[in-house]
Amino acid sequence: MIENLEDFLSSYGYVAVFAGTFIEGELFLLVAGFFVRHDFLQPIPTFIFSILGALTHELIYFFLGRWKGRSILLGNKYTKRRYIKAKKLVEKYGIYSLFIIRFLYGMRVVPMMLMGATGFNFYKFLFFNVLSLVIWASIFLSVGYFLGHIAINLFGNLKHYYFLFGLAVVILGLLIYTFLTLKSKRREASR
């Protein structure tokens, strides 16, 4: 089983990092950091692909915001509430709000669309977004690396369990994500 994991990660690991950070970044960064610690992935390519995945996601929403941002953001109750919250942050902190938004749960899409819709300078947006992604990826990959170190202290060098540990982190993260999403939707529906 571990040989299959090593083969899979050596063939598709960086594509998985790109796709994972494109879809839901923090969880996949933790797992990627864990696998970096156990030498399944190399640190520099993992770091680069994690930034590229998240950046691609955010650029799509930035340009979608330029194209039809206000109508999409104000089109339903859920995004309208997020829009109001994001707009206050962007009005107060301007482009520096990217650093704040990066660490707020559930605020990944709306602010990027908002910045596109309000006509932020693309190059300024790109520079500060990449800078915030570097900080973000560094923190979450480091935490994942630290979790990998804890796994060695708990289990020793038992590579057969690392896949299970990584899988447990993914499942736990998906459960937390689902719980928080459902809780947020219930809160929005009750308002």
Side-chain angles (χ1 to χ4, degrees):
M1 178 189 223
I2 198 68
E3 293 81 19
N4 293 340
L5 175 64
E6 290 184 54
D7 290 340
F8 174 79
L9 288 175
S10 67
S11 300
Y12 305 105
Y14 303 113
V15 173
V17 169
F18 178 91
T21 55
F22 182 87
I23 296 167
E24 174 58 41
E26 292 82 3
L27 174 64
F28 285 91
L29 283 177
L30 292 174
V31 173
F34 178 87
F35 286 138
V36 165
R37 173 60 184 97
H38 297 290
D39 299 322
F40 291 121
L41 297 170
Q42 296 300 312
I44 301 297
T46 302
F47 183 73
I48 291 169
F49 278 94
S50 64
I51 290 172
L52 289 175
L55 180 63
T56 302
H57 176 270
E58 292 165 4
L59 287 175
I60 288 170
Y61 282 102
F62 179 83
F63 286 114
L64 186 60
R66 282 258 168 105
W67 180 51
K68 290 226 181 231
R70 286 188 58 80
S71 62
I72 293 171
L73 290 171
L74 298 174
N76 68 58
K77 217 161 79 168
Y78 179 76
T79 56
K80 188 174 183 178
R81 289 185 199 277
R82 298 253 191 256
Y83 169 79
I84 292 167
K85 190 175 183 180
K87 189 172 183 195
K88 287 178 184 176
L89 267 173
V90 171
E91 285 173 350
K92 186 172 183 179
Y93 298 106
I95 196 74
Y96 302 109
S97 61
L98 282 170
F99 294 95
I100 299 166
I101 291 164
R102 177 80 43 224
F103 296 97
L104 294 177
Y105 174 76
M107 292 292 288
R108 189 171 175 198
V109 172
V110 173
M112 302 308 154
M113 287 182 74
L114 175 65
M115 289 184 184
T118 56
F120 263 85
N121 177 288
F122 171 72
Y123 296 107
K124 190 175 182 180
F125 169 80
L126 184 64
F127 174 78
F128 283 101
N129 198 30
V130 169
L131 187 59
S132 72
L133 283 169
V134 166
I135 295 167
W136 171 79
S138 298
I139 290 170
F140 282 96
L141 285 172
S142 296
V143 171
Y145 188 90
F146 180 70
L147 289 174
H149 187 71
I150 290 173
I152 287 176
N153 289 335
L154 292 176
F155 303 117
N157 198 12
L158 301 173
K159 283 189 171 184
H160 298 290
Y161 295 106
Y162 295 159
F163 176 73
L164 296 175
F165 185 78
L167 186 62
V169 170
V170 169
I171 291 170
L172 179 65
L174 289 173
L175 288 173
I176 291 170
Y177 175 76
T178 303
F179 172 76
L180 292 174
T181 301
L182 290 174
K183 185 178 175 183
S184 177
K185 285 183 180 181
R186 281 189 199 133
R187 195 177 327 131
E188 295 292 328
S190 67
R191 289 183 188 180

